[in-house]
Amino acid sequence: MSVTSIDANDDVLKAKHKYRQQRRYVVALYLLALFAMVVLFGWLMSEQYEQEITAAESRITARSNVVNEWAKGVFAQSGQALFGLAELLALQGMPEAGNAQALHRTLENLTLYIPMVDEIAVLGSEGRMLASGSDDANAYVDISETQFFNAFKQGGQRELVTPLYWSESEQQFYLYHGRGLDSPNGDFAGVVIARIVPRVFADALHQMHVYEGESIALIDSDSKLIARHPSPGEQFPIGLNIASERASQEEARELESGETAWSLRAVSPIDGRERLFRMQRVGDYPMLAIVGVDLQQLLAGWRQRALVLTLVMCALALLGSWGVRHYLNRLALAHQLQQRILEREQARAEAQISAAAFQTHLGILITDAEGFILKVNDTFKRITGYDDADVIGKNPRKFSSDHHNALFYRRLWKRLAKTGNWEGEIWNQRKNGELFPEWLTVSAVYNPSNVLTHYVATMSDISERKAAEQEIHQLAFYDPLTGLANRRLFMDRMGAAIKELHRHQRCGALLFVDIDNFKQINDTLGHYAGDQLLQSVARRMSQMLRDTDTLARLGSDEFAVLIEGVDSSHAQTIQLAERIAYKLLATLNTPIVLAEESVIVSGSIGVTIMVSNEHSVDDYLQQVDMALFQAKSNGRHGVCFFDPSMQAALLAHVKLEADLRQAQENRQWILYYQPQVDHLGTITGVEALLRWQHPERGMVSPGEFIPLLESMELINDVGEWVLESACCQLARWAQNPLLRELTISVNISPLQFRDEDFLSRVERVFARTQAPLCRLKLEVTESLFVEARDEAREKMLALKAQGVRFALDDFGTGYSSLAYLAQLPLDQLKIDQSFVHQVLESQANAAIVESTIALAKSLNLEVIAEGVETEAQQAWLLSHGCHAYQGYLFGRPVTVEAIEELMPVY
């Protein structure tokens, strides 16, 4: 063997070693990327799972708090009734047996006044009934031997509520609420008892809205069912022990640990569904409030997303494997070509291109110098479908697909003649007529005399790669759910359309379509039904548009339509856009079948006309977005065109915000005061009302700038100025004998009250002004107690200790709850003017006002009516027990000087 042959063999071995190293590196890199993708997707789904569970826990915790507070309110009212009855008996003494007719009438009236209490009775020290609110002679005959009675008599219990107790005489369950009675010398004198029917709780729970898969229940300390919504059915009557063994054990552990609220997962014994439960003690009473949510329904969306992510991950893995395979094929091809070159140099004299080259997965074709086929390998025949008899002696142009023109082939042969090789993508035709893309490499082979002897072509079918590229393009530019253009593609077409407007002097139109109340469909029917709805809407709207129009889904339930190719007539463009918009509204309004239910949806459409390239893409998007917002504000299910006045309104809003900041810097604020009078017309106090005296606008309405102060986070500073100004006025009035008795009410924003520095800022104001705080009244609204009620109560108590009084403003218009009224340190209820205005015309409003006055008296609260404008309204309020008023009948908001001038008159 010659030295040249040995060197050629060494080169072959080195090439093989390098090729194997490259293969290992590529495979290792792919496996590493695949592992990282699996870890990332797993972490993402784990995070989403925790978020779903956390959100559900937050929701059921809020629900259990509401049920808990309501249940405590029931016991608080019965406890208040028992306390009042105990105080009455302490004053009047215990009645003699058989001589309790007056007490019987009192108990009867008290039972009627508290509808949730079924019966109230008084028992003597020996456990025998002395008086009852019912004529039933069998009620509370003798309970001297019961554990309930002995807890008061022997154990010194002051107040006690029992779990569910079965009454043999009544044949039903009751809850009993008792309070001990003492004689004047401190001895045990008896018990007053209220009997509560569980139906009270069931009726209240059934008034609450529950979402699909959600349940709300009340059980007693023995795990016996008191009430549940949805109804548990006849198989689970009231009084049935419903706790599973696992739940009972966990409940016992939590109760022993002293926890007031806890969460657990368990299978519901009522419907057999695994639920996430939130259990909460109802105060110190033997009752638990339980809110549960079906885990299967809760995690349905998460499972769907997990499936989608898994499919995406598999698609990416397959795409990556295809890429690795293609790259390895290229490496193998390069390695084989290098080997063939080395082999040709080694054995050029023996044979040019060897039979070994045909043992490859690449298709190989060899022609003579004139281009006639001499030989093909099996891979070539498998790819093209031709056999030897079909191709030997033929010209390769028979495979041509007519996909490329003559210029393409001239350039191919020109380069081949110049460089000896050509490589690129080309479309050819199989024997069955199917077109397919291939990667083709053509090399010219020369003999030692540099004379062309053969052409060698290698080919690989790249149909799979082209399909993958198409899929990547689809993912990048189209919405995967509806198949419509996505935001990226839509923005590109918007940019191109604006350029065309200027080039051809044409008009266009841009429409935003938003499905009304889409979230409600998602929440009620599920996300799968929501996806079906979006797909159906996309199909219907596509059928209403021309091929030249672009329909895109920008996100969630928002679609966009780009109309191009309209002539330069602005009026005709508006007519066309309007016609298309109403066609889209009509097709949206056609019923759609989802989850075996017929659903009718509506939409809101905003439209803007594109008439020039003076505006950018963002400008037109902003215009159509404002038009869509206006369409929704107009009541939905309508079309609204962009009008420059919308933009002017937005600019005016921005200008107002800038002016507000300037007002804060320059102290353009003024305090007006509105009189508050008693039933004799005497001014007893005033309410401080903020006014803004703008140097150009004049007096700006509070309804226009107060919400902006809150959204701009200026309310804390402005509110502090109002409070300090009012306190300074109180300090000045304290020196005047005619004015020293006046009170000043100051409104406190919930945002201001919730600020962590609120107490410290208020106390600094008090220190600076030295105002008589007993004359200061802070007005708060019900929205303050929706969140962090305990924190608000602590702040109120801290200010109350310094002499400040509190009034609840706009009572009845928000989150009205008897439970929080009984627990908050309030001094006054303020009846909202919306009720006062209709008190003479509306029986419902009259009933609300009358109930509010009665409620205030029962809680020892003052009551004042605002918005009193007529003497008839005042007369009605006075006849129903309201003796304090505020409104235009007694005076409008005026300056402090005007208030001081009024005092001698009153």
Side-chain angles (χ1 to χ4, degrees), residues 750-759 784-799 806 823-825:
L751 293 178
Q752 182 184 358
F753 202 96
R754 294 190 187 109
D755 185 74
E756 59 183 10
D757 296 328
F758 174 71
L759 275 181
L784 174 64
F785 310 111
V786 176
E787 300 176 2
R789 185 181 63 205
D790 293 338
E791 180 183 351
R793 183 175 183 271
E794 292 175 1
K795 291 182 180 179
M796 293 174 68
L797 289 173
L799 294 175
F806 283 92
Q823 298 175 13
L824 294 176

Side-chain angles (χ1 to χ4, degrees), residues 450-583:
N450 204 29
V451 176
L452 177 66
T453 59
H454 301 84
Y455 290 105
V456 177
T458 60
M459 57 180 290
S460 61
D461 189 344
I462 58 173
S463 300
E464 294 182 359
R465 189 189 77 181
K466 296 292 289 185
E469 290 175 352
Q470 179 61 31
E471 183 178 358
I472 292 173
H473 180 271
Q474 187 75 15
L475 291 174
F477 293 100
Y478 292 89
D479 175 45
L481 178 64
T482 62
L484 301 178
N486 61 12
R487 179 178 291 273
R488 178 180 177 183
L489 179 57
F490 189 77
M491 296 292 280
D492 290 344
R493 293 188 178 177
M494 275 281 294
I498 291 176
K499 293 178 182 178
E500 289 294 315
L501 292 178
H502 178 67
R503 184 178 297 122
H504 299 293
Q505 297 297 315
R506 291 184 173 181
C507 296
L510 179 61
L511 290 75
F512 270 11
V513 183
D514 187 85
I515 300 176
D516 297 332
N517 301 320
F518 176 72
K519 183 178 183 302
Q520 181 179 356
I521 296 176
N522 258 350
D523 293 341
T524 56
L525 299 181
H527 291 282
Y528 178 71
D531 290 345
Q532 287 184 309
L533 173 66
L534 293 175
Q535 291 170 341
S536 178
V537 167
R539 286 193 301 270
R540 291 184 175 184
M541 290 197 297
S542 297
Q543 295 170 358
M544 296 295 106
L545 299 173
R546 305 171 301 174
D547 293 339
T548 56
D549 300 330
T550 299
L551 174 62
R553 179 182 177 224
L554 302 186
S556 186
D557 61 334
E558 189 174 87
F559 296 84
V561 179
L562 176 62
I563 301 173
E564 301 180 71
V566 186
D567 59 29
S568 58
S569 172
H570 186 269
Q572 291 182 1
T573 305
I574 292 177
Q575 292 177 358
L576 175 62
E578 184 177 28
R579 187 166 62 251
I580 292 176
Y582 280 105
K583 285 172 59 179

Side-chain angles (χ1 to χ4, degrees), residues 668-672 689-693 699 721 895:
Q668 297 172 359
W669 314 118
I670 300 176
L671 269 192
Y672 273 31
L689 300 170
L690 179 63
R691 294 295 184 264
W692 176 17
Q693 182 65 46
M699 196 69 73
W721 179 89
T895 62

Side-chain angles (χ1 to χ4, degrees), residues 544-751:
M544 296 295 106
L545 299 173
R546 305 171 301 174
D547 293 339
T548 56
D549 300 330
T550 299
L551 174 62
R553 179 182 177 224
L554 302 186
S556 186
D557 61 334
E558 189 174 87
F559 296 84
V561 179
L562 176 62
I563 301 173
E564 301 180 71
V566 186
D567 59 29
S568 58
S569 172
H570 186 269
Q572 291 182 1
T573 305
I574 292 177
Q575 292 177 358
L576 175 62
E578 184 177 28
R579 187 166 62 251
I580 292 176
Y582 280 105
K583 285 172 59 179
L584 295 177
L585 277 186
T587 192
L588 283 176
N589 205 34
T590 306
I592 300 174
V593 178
L594 298 176
E596 299 182 355
E597 292 188 19
S598 181
V599 177
I600 298 179
V601 298
S602 62
S604 300
I605 300 181
V607 186
T608 189
I609 304 301
M610 303 185 300
V611 295
S612 69
N613 64 344
E614 295 178 1
H615 298 291
S616 66
V617 171
D618 290 337
D619 292 335
Y620 283 120
L621 290 176
Q622 185 183 41
Q623 291 178 5
V624 75
D625 198 49
M626 285 190 285
L628 177 60
F629 177 80
Q630 188 61 44
K632 291 180 179 180
S633 302
N634 292 342
R636 300 181 182 271
H637 189 50
V639 178
C640 182
F641 279 76
F642 169 77
D643 186 272
S645 61
M646 297 179 184
Q647 204 156 13
L650 178 62
L651 294 175
H653 182 83
V654 174
K655 179 65 167 59
L656 185 60
E657 288 186 352
D659 287 350
L660 265 180
R661 298 189 186 279
Q662 194 69 26
Q664 175 63 8
E665 293 178 4
N666 299 334
R667 287 292 187 268
Q668 297 172 359
W669 314 118
I670 300 176
L671 269 192
Y672 273 31
Y673 298 91
Q674 187 173 23
Q676 295 177 336
V677 304
D678 60 15
H679 64 288
L680 299 176
T682 303
I683 295 181
T684 60
V686 294
E687 179 180 1
L689 300 170
L690 179 63
R691 294 295 184 264
W692 176 17
Q693 182 65 46
H694 192 277
E696 298 175 1
R697 300 172 184 261
M699 196 69 73
V700 183
S701 169
E704 188 175 352
F705 70 85
I706 292 293
L708 273 181
L709 286 178
E710 294 182 337
S711 64
M712 296 168 62
E713 299 182 354
L714 294 176
I715 193 65
N716 288 333
D717 295 335
V718 177
E720 182 177 350
W721 179 89
V722 172
L723 181 61
E724 183 162 358
S725 299
C727 287
C728 289
Q729 192 61 55
L730 275 177
R732 287 192 291 269
W733 281 350
Q735 309 303 318
N736 189 327
L738 294 176
L739 303 172
R740 66 176 54 174
E741 300 299 323
L742 290 182
T743 64
I744 295 183
S745 299
V746 178
N747 290 284
I748 302 296
S749 165
L751 293 178

Side-chain angles (χ1 to χ4, degrees), residues 280-506:
Q280 186 170 0
R281 297 187 191 209
V282 179
D284 296 327
Y285 306 112
M287 181 181 288
L288 293 177
I290 305 176
V291 179
V293 62
D294 190 335
L295 283 174
Q296 184 173 1
Q297 292 187 0
L298 173 66
L299 298 176
W302 176 83
R303 292 191 183 94
Q304 185 177 10
R305 292 193 297 275
L307 177 60
V308 172
L309 283 178
T310 302
L311 294 176
V312 171
M313 183 175 65
C314 293
L316 291 176
L318 292 174
L319 185 62
S321 66
W322 177 89
V324 170
R325 176 173 173 268
H326 178 70
Y327 184 79
L328 292 178
N329 289 343
R330 295 290 303 277
L331 285 178
L333 177 61
H335 174 65
Q336 291 166 358
L337 288 176
Q338 186 176 11
Q339 279 188 322
R340 289 202 300 272
I341 293 172
L342 292 174
E343 289 169 358
R344 185 181 63 180
E345 295 294 327
Q346 182 182 12
R348 185 187 300 240
E350 296 178 1
Q352 297 178 351
I353 316 307
S354 64
F358 278 70
Q359 307 306 317
T360 178
H361 64 279
L362 297 175
I364 299 179
L365 176 148
I366 301 176
T367 73
D368 58 19
E370 286 73 31
F372 293 100
I373 299 174
L374 299 176
K375 193 171 185 181
V376 295
N377 69 348
D378 293 338
T379 304
F380 175 90
K381 290 182 282 188
R382 177 178 56 79
I383 293 175
T384 63
Y386 292 102
D387 55 23
D388 290 335
D390 296 323
V391 298
I392 300 300
K394 303 296 192 322
N395 193 291
R397 69 172 60 95
K398 75 174 296 180
F399 312 129
S400 176
S401 64
D402 295 329
H403 189 80
H404 308 283
N405 55 26
L407 178 61
F408 172 84
Y409 290 106
R410 285 199 298 269
R411 290 176 176 173
L412 184 156
W413 286 108
K414 183 178 180 180
R415 180 172 180 82
L416 188 60
K418 181 178 181 180
T419 64
N421 59 77
W422 180 91
E423 184 177 26
E425 180 182 312
I426 191 171
W427 284 80
N428 274 336
Q429 190 174 25
R430 307 186 205 273
K431 185 177 181 180
N432 60 8
E434 178 187 355
L435 300 181
F436 71 100
E438 66 180 15
W439 190 261
L440 179 66
T441 301
V442 183
S443 300
V445 180
Y446 298 88
N447 64 14
S449 301
N450 204 29
V451 176
L452 177 66
T453 59
H454 301 84
Y455 290 105
V456 177
T458 60
M459 57 180 290
S460 61
D461 189 344
I462 58 173
S463 300
E464 294 182 359
R465 189 189 77 181
K466 296 292 289 185
E469 290 175 352
Q470 179 61 31
E471 183 178 358
I472 292 173
H473 180 271
Q474 187 75 15
L475 291 174
F477 293 100
Y478 292 89
D479 175 45
L481 178 64
T482 62
L484 301 178
N486 61 12
R487 179 178 291 273
R488 178 180 177 183
L489 179 57
F490 189 77
M491 296 292 280
D492 290 344
R493 293 188 178 177
M494 275 281 294
I498 291 176
K499 293 178 182 178
E500 289 294 315
L501 292 178
H502 178 67
R503 184 178 297 122
H504 299 293
Q505 297 297 315
R506 291 184 173 181

Side-chain angles (χ1 to χ4, degrees), residues 205-272:
L205 291 186
H206 282 280
Q207 296 300 317
M208 300 182 66
H209 172 72
V210 295
Y211 298 101
E212 186 175 357
E214 189 179 58
S215 65
I216 305 175
L218 292 170
I219 65 172
D220 68 4
S221 56
D222 297 328
S223 298
K224 290 184 290 188
L225 180 65
I226 297 175
R228 185 182 188 269
H229 182 45
S231 176
E234 296 180 356
Q235 295 180 346
F236 296 88
I238 292 175
L240 180 69
N241 190 313
I242 62 170
S244 64
E245 181 178 352
R246 175 188 169 216
S248 297
Q249 294 174 354
E250 187 159 348
E251 179 183 328
R253 287 197 300 271
E254 298 294 345
L255 290 172
E256 291 175 359
S257 67
E259 291 290 332
T260 60
W262 63 93
S263 300
L264 63 87
R265 293 188 184 183
V267 175
S268 171
I270 292 180
D271 56 13

